[in-house]
Amino acid sequence: MHELGIVTHVIRTIEETCTDNHLTRVGSVTLQIGEVSGIVPSYLTDCWKWAADKSEVLRGSELKIEMTEAITDCLDCGKNYRTADYGKECPFCHSTNTVLNHGTECSIKEIFAE
Ligand SMILES: [Zn+2]
C-alpha cells in the first residue's frame, strides 16, 4: 500500500521534528499533495487514523490534505500548462517534448502543536 508507506514516512519525520523542538503533542498536520501523485486522499486519511494512534505525539491528531495543481513545462515552446487537462502533449505547439514540473510531491506544509 503506497499510502501507508507515505504515512509512515510522514509520521517519522514529524516525530523527529517534535523531538528537535521539544513538542509533546501535535493537534493537526497539513500535507500538500500533487494532483498527479497517484495518492488517494481518503486512503491517506484512513492510514493516518490507524498509524497516528500508535504514535505518542500524534495520537488523536487531525490530518488535513491540500491538493496542489500539476504543471507541465514544454521544452519546445517554453510555455507551461495544467497537466490534468492536457497530459504529455503541449496544447500550444503540440510537442510531446515536455516535463512534469511539479504535481507529484507529497510534503508536510504545517504542523500545529496542541
Ligand atoms: Zn509547446
Side-chain angles (χ1 to χ4, degrees):
M1 237 165 124
H2 188 45
E3 281 78 5
L4 185 56
I6 293 164
V7 164
T8 305
H9 173 75
V10 166
I11 287 181
R12 203 171 298 147
T13 306
I14 293 169
E15 283 177 336
E16 281 166 15
T17 307
C18 286
T19 306
D20 292 348
N21 295 285
H22 309 289
L23 300 173
T24 53
R25 203 100 180 101
V26 169
S28 72
V29 175
T30 306
L31 284 188
Q32 264 184 333
I33 293 169
E35 65 182 351
V36 295
S37 62
I39 298 168
V40 181
S42 63
Y43 287 176
L44 206 60
T45 312
D46 286 348
C47 292
W48 180 267
K49 281 182 196 145
W50 178 84
D53 200 45
K54 293 178 168 43
S55 163
E56 194 81 4
V57 291
L58 287 162
R59 193 170 297 138
S61 63
E62 188 192 352
L63 179 68
K64 295 176 182 172
I65 295 172
E66 276 182 21
M67 299 303 278
T68 56
E69 206 172 74
I71 300 292
T72 293
D73 290 332
C74 176
L75 299 177
D76 283 340
C77 73
K79 290 181 173 149
N80 54 57
Y81 59 91
R82 285 201 54 190
T83 313
D85 292 340
Y86 303 104
K88 271 188 70 70
E89 189 182 315
C90 173
F92 303 103
C93 70
H94 301 286
S95 164
T96 51
N97 190 16
T98 57
V99 283
L100 189 62
N101 184 310
H102 61 261
T104 57
E105 67 276 7
C106 174
S107 56
I108 301 166
K109 189 189 173 198
E110 282 172 323
I111 301 172
F112 281 109
E114 231 171 33

